[in-house]
C-alpha cells in the first residue's frame, strides 16, 4: 500500500482546468420596508414593517406564516429542549458543565420577537404566536397572481450571544443582528416552509429591502444593502474628500436598500474600524472590525485575500451580482448573509482567512443559488466546501494534489461509524450534530468532487457554471444540479443523485484476482458495496510504462474523456450494476505487472482502499 501511494501520486492526475469563461417555474416575491429603533442600553428595539407580498403561485392562499427567530433564545424553547437532549450538543451553546446556556437565561438576557399589530390591506387579521412561528389566518385570501400588503408593528430583545445572533459576543462586538425581524416564510411548489428554529438552517423569499435603523450615533453599522445617506452618516461611508453633514441629537438613522436578496443582516459596535477596498472591475469590499491591537493585524491580512477569493469565485462560478460585499467581525464563528458575513476571531489570521473564503463562497451557494437549506443543506454547505477548497488551494498556494482530502476523510469517518443518515434527512432531524456536520459539509463536497470523477473535471466545472447561470436568483433543488450535469456531460446520472443523497449505500470495489491466462493476464474485479460507479483502472509495469482501462457503468449511457491524456487508455465494455464480478484480459504476462490500481485519482469515495490495489507478492 505504501508503494502504491507513491506510484499513484507520480501520475499527477488532479489538474483542474478553470476556463474564464423551466418550464412553469414560479416563486414568490416580497418587498420589505422597515423602520427600526434600537436602544443600545437595554438591547430592546421596536419597529414597523410594511410588506408587499406577490403571490406568483397558482394557489389562493388563506394563511401565511412569519418566522420569529429570536423567540428560540428562551428557556423551554424548542431550541433549548433540543440542546438538552441531543447527545453531542454544539459546544458554543452549552456551559462548562455541559448544560444548555439558553436554559439559564434571565428575563433581561433572553431574546424575543413579538408582533404587536398586523393588518392586511388595512384590515386587522387573526394571528397566533407559536414559538418561533407566527400563524396568520387571512380575512381575505390572496388569489393566484395577486398582491397584498401587510403592515405590522413589532418589538424585540436581542439575546445574549449564543448562536449566530446576539449581543456582546466573544470578541466584544455589541450587536450581531441576524434573523432579527419578522420574516415571511417561503411558499413554493412543495407548500409552506414554516420550520421552527431549532438552531440550524434557513429558507427565505426573494425580494427588495428598504430598511432604516436608528441607534446611538457612536455606533458604526455594517451589513446587507447599500447605504443611502452616507453623507449624513460618515464613519467611513462618505465619498472620499467630502464633508459629512453632522446630525443633531444622540442618534443616527442609517438607511439601507438591498435589491433581490432573501435576508437582511446588520451588526453594530462603537469601536468598529471601517476599511474599504475598491476592486478593479468588481464590487466595493467593506471590512468592519474591532479597534483592538489583537485583531487589527489579522483583519488587515484578510482584505487582499478577500479580493483574491472574490475574483476566483466570479471566474469559476459566475460573476458576483452585487456592487458590495462586507466582511464583519461578529456572530459566533462564521455565518453567511446577503451581501455580507459575520466572522469571529483575530489572533489566528489563517483561521479567519479560511472562514472568510468559506463564507464568501456562500454568496454564490445560498445567497444567489438559494436552496432550501433545511431540506438540502448539502447543496449549500457541501458545494461551498467544494469550491472554497479549490479557492484556498490556489490563492493560499496550498498545492494539494487533492484539495478535497479532508472532505473525503470526514465522509469515511461517518460512513464507517454506523451513525450515518441519508443526506435527504431534514437538517433538524439528524440524531447527532456529528452526522449532520459531515453529511452537509464533507459528503456534500464529495458529491461534486466525485461527480468530477464520473463525468470529467472540465465537464464538472462547466456544469457548475451552467448551474449558476441557469438557477441564480431561484431556489434550485437537487434535480437541478443533476440535470445540468446530464446536459453538459451527455450522461444519465439519476443513479448517482439517488444513491449518494437518498441512501447510505457505500462504494466498495476491489481487485478480486490477477491470474495468468495463456500468454496474457486476466484481471477480475468485484463490486462489494451497493452503490454503482464507473471504474478507472491503472496498470503500472516493471519497465516503467503505464496504461489505463476504463469500465463505464452501463446505466450512465455514456463515457467520460480520458482524464490522463498522457497515458494510453482502453475503453472496456460497460459494467452492468447487477453483475458483482467483472473481468478483462490484457496481452501481457503477469510477470510484467508491478501494480494494478482502481481509481488512481482517489476521487471515488471507496470506503476500503486496501482492496483497490494489487501488487505481486515479494
Amino acid at each position: 500500500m505504501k508503494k502504491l501511494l507513491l506510484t499513484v501520486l507520480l501520475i499527477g492526475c488532479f489538474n483542474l482546468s478553470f476556463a474564464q469563461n423551466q418550464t412553469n417555474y414560479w416563486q414568490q416575491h416580497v418587498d420589505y420596508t422597515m423602520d427600526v429603533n434600537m436602544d443600545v442600553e437595554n438591547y430592546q428595539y421596536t419597529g414597523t414593517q410594511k410588506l408587499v407580498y406577490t403571490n406568483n403561485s397558482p394557489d389562493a392562499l388563506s394563511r401565511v406564516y412569519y418566522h420569529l427567530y429570536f423567540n428560540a433564545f428562551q428557556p423551554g424553547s424548542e431550541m433549548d429542549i433540543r440542546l438538552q437532549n441531543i447527545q453531542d450538543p454544539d459546544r458554543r451553546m452549552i456551559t462548562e458543565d455541559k448544560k444548555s446556556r439558553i436554559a439559564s437565561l434571565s428575563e433581561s438576557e433572553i431574546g424575543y420577537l413579538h408582533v404587536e399589530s398586523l393588518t392586511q390591506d388595512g384590515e386587522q387579521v387573526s394571528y397566533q404566536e407559536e414559538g418561533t412561528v407566527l400563524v396568520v389566518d387571512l380575512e381575505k385570501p390572496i388569489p393566484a397572481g395577486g398582491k397584498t400588503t401587510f403592515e405590522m408593528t413589532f418589538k424585540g430583545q436581542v439575546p445574549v450571544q449564543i448562536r449566530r445572533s446576539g449581543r456582546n459576543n466573544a470578541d466584544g462586538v455589541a450587536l450581531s443582528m441576524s434573523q432579527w425581524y419578522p420574516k415571511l416564510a417561503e411558499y413554493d411548489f412543495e407548500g409552506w416552509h414554516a420550520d421552527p428554529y431549532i438552531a440550524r438552517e434557513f429558507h427565505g423569499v426573494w425580494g427588495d429591502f428598504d430598511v432604516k435603523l436608528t441607534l446611538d450615533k457612536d455606533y458604526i453599522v455594517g451589513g446587507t444593502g447599500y447605504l443611502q445617506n452616507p453623507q449624513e452618516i460618515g464613519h467611513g461611508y462618505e465619498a472620499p474628500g467630502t464633508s459629512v453633514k453632522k446630525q443633531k441629537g444622540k442618534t443616527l438613522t442609517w438607511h439601507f436598500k438591498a435589491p433581490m436578496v432573501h435576508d437582511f443582516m446588520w451588526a453594530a459596535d462603537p469601536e468598529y474600524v471601517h476599511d474599504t477596498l475598491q476592486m478593479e472591475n468588481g464590487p466595493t469590499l467593506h471590512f468592519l472590525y474591532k479597534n483592538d491591537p489583537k485583531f487589527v493585524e489579522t483583519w488587515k491580512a484578510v482584505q487582499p485575500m478577500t479580493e483574491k477569493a472574490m475574483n476566483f469565485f466570479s471566474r469559476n462560478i459566475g460573476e458576483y451580482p452585487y456592487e458590495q460585499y462586507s466582511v464583519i467581525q461578529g456572530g459566533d464563528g462564521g455565518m453567511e448573509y446577503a451581501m455580507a458575513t459575520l466572522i469571529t476571531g483575530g489572533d489566528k489570521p489563517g483561521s479567519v482567512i479560511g472562514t472568510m473564503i468559506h463564507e464568501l463562497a456562500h454568496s454564490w451557494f445560498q445567497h444567489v443559488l438559494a436552496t432550501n437549506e433545511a431540506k438540502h443543506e448539502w447543496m449549500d454547505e457541501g458545494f461551498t466546501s467544494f469550491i472554497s477548497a479549490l479557492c484556498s488551494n490556489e490563492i493560499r498556494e496550498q498545492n494539494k494534489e487533492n484539495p478535497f482530502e479532508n472532505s473525503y476523510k470526514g465522509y469515511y469517518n461517518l460512513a464507517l461509524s454506523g451513525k450515518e443518515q441519508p443526506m435527504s434527512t431534514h437538517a433538524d432531524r439528524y440524531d447527532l450534530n456529528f452526522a449532520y456536520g459531515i453529511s452537509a459539509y464533507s459528503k456534500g463536497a464529495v458529491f461534486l468532487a466525485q461527480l468530477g470523477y464520473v463525468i470529467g473535471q472540465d465537464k464538472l466545472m462547466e456544469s457548475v457554471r451552467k448551474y449558476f447561470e441557469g438557477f441564480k436568483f431561484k431556489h434550485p433543488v437537487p434535480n437541478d444540479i443533476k440535470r445540468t450535469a446530464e446536459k453538459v456531460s451527455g450522461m444519465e446520472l439519476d443513479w448517482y443523485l439517488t444513491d449518494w443523497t437518498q441512501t447510505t449505500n457505500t462504494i466498495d470495489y476491489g481487485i478480486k484476482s490477477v491470474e495468468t491466462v495463456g500468454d496474457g493476464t486476466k484481471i477480475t474485479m468485484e463490486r462489494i458495496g451497493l452503490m454503482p460507479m464507473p471504474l478507472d483502472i491503472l496498470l503500472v509495469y516493471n519497465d516503467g510504462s503505464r496504461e489505463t482501462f476504463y469500465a463505464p457503468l452501463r446505466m450512465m449511457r455514456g463515457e467520460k474523456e480520458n482524464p490522463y491524456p498522457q497515458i494510453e487508455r482502453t475503453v472496456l465494455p460497460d459494467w452492468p450494476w447487477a453483475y458483482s464480478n467483472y473481468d478483462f484480459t490484457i496481452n501481457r504476462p503477469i510477470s510484467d505487472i508491478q501494480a494494478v490500481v482502481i481509481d488512481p485519482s482517489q476521487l471515488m469515495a471507496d470506503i476500503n482502499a486496501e482492496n483497490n490495489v494489487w501488487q505481486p507478492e515479494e
Side-chain angles (χ1 to χ4, degrees):
M1 188 65 186
K2 294 177 182 176
K3 289 171 62 180
L4 152 73
L5 291 178
L6 179 59
T7 302
V8 168
L9 292 177
L10 290 176
I11 293 177
C13 59
F14 200 88
N15 294 314
L16 285 177
S17 172
F18 298 108
Q20 271 187 264
N21 309 329
Q22 296 148 4
T23 305
N24 298 325
Y25 180 85
W26 57 266
Q27 62 188 27
Q28 308 294 63
H29 186 85
V30 288
D31 290 315
Y32 288 90
T33 302
M34 292 189 282
D35 198 331
V36 178
N37 285 273
M38 169 65 72
D39 186 331
V40 299
E41 299 298 325
N42 62 14
Y43 303 103
Q44 295 178 359
Y45 59 101
T46 59
T48 62
Q49 182 189 96
K50 177 182 177 181
L51 190 155
V52 179
Y53 185 59
T54 303
N55 179 18
N56 292 316
S57 83
D59 309 315
L61 303 178
S62 59
R63 174 181 283 181
V64 300
Y65 301 87
Y66 286 81
H67 296 285
L68 306 174
Y69 291 108
F70 271 5
N71 291 343
F73 300 101
Q74 300 174 14
S77 70
E78 288 192 68
M79 182 185 286
D80 178 34
I81 299 303
R82 175 65 168 161
L83 192 59
Q84 294 182 42
N85 287 287
I86 195 167
Q87 184 178 326
D88 59 339
D90 189 321
R91 287 175 294 178
R92 290 166 292 193
M93 301 175 70
I94 57 175
T95 60
E96 290 185 1
D97 56 356
K98 298 185 179 180
K99 294 182 179 179
S100 165
R101 290 178 60 202
I102 297 176
S104 62
L105 292 177
S106 68
E107 284 297 313
S108 64
E109 294 173 326
I110 66 171
Y112 62 71
L113 184 55
H114 302 309
V115 173
E116 298 195 295
S117 68
L118 179 60
T119 63
Q120 178 196 6
D121 297 329
E123 300 293 327
Q124 295 288 334
V125 294
S126 173
Y127 59 89
Q128 181 176 343
E129 188 177 295
E130 297 180 355
T132 59
V133 175
L134 188 76
V135 182
V136 183
D137 291 310
L138 304 179
E139 293 296 323
K140 178 179 62 176
I142 312 168
K147 285 188 178 184
T148 197
T149 299
F150 296 107
E151 294 188 72
M152 72 163 61
T153 60
F154 61 91
K155 66 178 181 180
Q157 179 170 283
V158 186
V160 170
Q161 179 76 54
I162 291 178
R163 190 69 180 99
R164 293 195 171 108
S165 307
R167 67 200 202 222
N168 303 320
N169 79 341
D171 291 349
V173 174
L175 293 167
S176 298
M177 299 295 290
S178 56
Q179 309 301 334
W180 59 275
Y181 60 94
K183 180 178 179 180
L184 197 73
E186 177 66 288
Y187 181 84
D188 62 18
F189 72 101
E190 295 178 314
W192 284 103
H193 298 277
D195 296 308
Y197 187 28
I198 306 295
R200 292 219 171 102
E201 309 296 350
F202 305 104
H203 192 30
V205 191
W206 286 107
D208 299 333
F209 286 71
D210 187 323
V211 180
K212 292 180 179 178
L213 306 169
T214 301
L215 69 163
D216 188 297
K217 66 176 12 175
D218 290 334
Y219 279 63
I220 304 172
V221 178
T224 303
Y226 307 113
L227 185 62
Q228 301 298 296
N229 57 336
Q231 298 309 125
E232 297 176 4
I233 295 296
H235 290 306
Y237 283 96
E238 69 275 14
T242 61
S243 59
V244 177
K245 183 180 179 182
K246 291 186 178 181
Q247 303 297 301
K248 295 180 180 180
K250 296 181 179 180
T251 62
L252 280 178
T253 297
W254 301 64
H255 184 193
F256 293 95
K257 288 187 177 181
M260 204 53 178
V261 295
H262 55 85
D263 201 5
F264 189 99
M265 176 275 291
W266 61 281
D269 192 272
E271 296 179 356
Y272 270 154
V273 175
H274 178 205
D275 296 335
T276 60
L277 190 163
Q278 177 59 57
M279 292 181 58
E280 183 178 353
N281 300 318
T284 302
L285 304 178
H286 293 258
F287 302 88
L288 295 100
Y289 54 94
K290 295 279 286 187
N291 188 12
D292 186 318
K294 67 182 179 182
F295 297 135
V296 171
E297 182 179 350
T298 288
W299 283 82
K300 292 293 185 185
V302 165
Q303 297 175 26
M305 296 301 286
T306 305
E307 180 177 21
K308 290 182 179 180
M310 179 68 75
N311 281 327
F312 180 93
F313 295 136
S314 289
R315 187 171 69 249
N316 289 294
I317 310 173
E319 203 67 35
Y320 179 74
Y322 304 105
E323 297 175 8
Q324 176 181 306
Y325 185 79
S326 299
V327 183
I328 305 168
Q329 189 173 14
D332 66 336
M335 181 62 189
E336 74 278 3
Y337 301 100
M339 301 170 65
T341 182
L342 291 176
I343 297 174
T344 53
D347 56 340
K348 297 178 180 178
S351 176
V352 176
I353 289 170
T355 302
M356 174 277 295
I357 291 171
H358 181 90
E359 304 307 337
L360 175 56
H362 274 302
S363 290
W364 284 262
F365 296 118
Q366 180 49 20
H367 284 286
V368 176
L369 295 162
T371 58
N372 181 347
E373 294 178 291
K375 296 189 70 174
H376 314 300
E377 63 278 0
W378 58 273
M379 295 180 69
D380 164 33
E381 296 297 352
F383 291 11
T384 291
S385 297
F386 167 85
I387 201 68
S388 58
L390 289 178
C391 178
S392 289
N393 203 45
E394 178 174 305
I395 73 172
R396 302 176 77 178
E397 300 178 352
Q398 294 173 328
N399 300 316
K400 293 180 180 179
E401 189 73 23
N402 183 350
F404 319 111
E405 58 188 5
N406 289 334
S407 293
Y408 279 83
K409 289 176 182 176
Y411 165 66
Y412 295 141
N413 189 20
L414 175 62
L416 298 172
S417 71
K419 305 293 186 182
E420 185 180 8
Q421 294 171 250
M423 293 167 72
S424 55
T425 302
H426 190 285
D428 291 333
R429 251 61 107 216
Y430 280 86
D431 192 42
L432 297 170
N433 277 320
F434 155 78
Y436 162 78
I438 294 179
S439 180
Y441 290 78
S442 300
K443 193 176 180 183
V446 173
F447 175 90
L448 282 186
Q450 185 171 246
L451 182 60
Y453 166 79
V454 173
I455 67 175
Q457 301 303 331
D458 289 348
K459 290 289 191 289
L460 169 65
M461 297 312 296
E462 183 181 348
S463 297
V464 168
R465 290 188 290 272
K466 285 188 178 295
Y467 171 60
F468 176 80
E469 190 60 34
F471 294 95
K472 60 186 178 183
F473 301 112
K474 295 182 180 179
H475 296 292
V477 296
N479 193 61
D480 295 324
I481 182 65
K482 184 210 76 169
R483 289 292 293 133
T484 301
E486 285 182 332
K487 292 172 183 177
V488 169
S489 68
M491 298 181 190
E492 300 298 325
L493 298 170
D494 194 62
W495 60 273
Y496 183 69
L497 179 69
T498 298
D499 275 64
W500 193 252
T501 68
Q502 298 175 29
T503 78
T504 56
N505 292 345
T506 56
I507 301 164
D508 185 7
Y509 283 86
I511 299 170
K512 188 173 186 179
S513 64
V514 178
E515 55 189 350
T516 297
V517 176
D519 295 331
T521 303
K522 184 172 80 169
I523 298 169
T524 301
M525 299 175 295
E526 60 180 336
R527 177 185 55 76
I528 303 162
L530 282 174
M531 181 166 175
M533 287 294 283
L535 292 191
D536 291 328
I537 305 103
L538 168 70
L539 269 70
V540 180
Y541 298 108
N542 291 321
D543 61 8
S545 62
R546 284 173 277 178
E547 64 177 324
T548 62
F549 294 81
Y550 175 51
L553 181 67
R554 178 175 288 178
M555 65 180 73
M556 286 166 43
R557 314 299 176 191
E559 303 165 4
K560 69 177 176 182
E561 296 180 2
N562 186 359
Y564 316 116
Q566 73 277 25
I567 303 175
E568 181 181 350
R569 181 179 79 161
T570 299
V571 178
L572 301 170
D574 292 348
W575 185 344
W577 172 82
Y579 292 84
S580 58
N581 290 346
Y582 180 97
D583 62 67
F584 64 98
T585 302
I586 63 171
N587 295 319
R588 294 187 67 160
I590 196 170
S591 58
D592 283 358
I593 302 174
Q594 181 184 11
V596 181
V597 182
I598 292 176
D599 179 29
S601 73
Q602 298 183 349
L603 289 175
M604 184 176 73
D606 192 308
I607 61 168
N608 181 14
E610 294 295 326
N611 61 10
N612 288 4
V613 181
W614 176 90
Q615 290 179 287
E617 296 182 4
E618 296 181 356

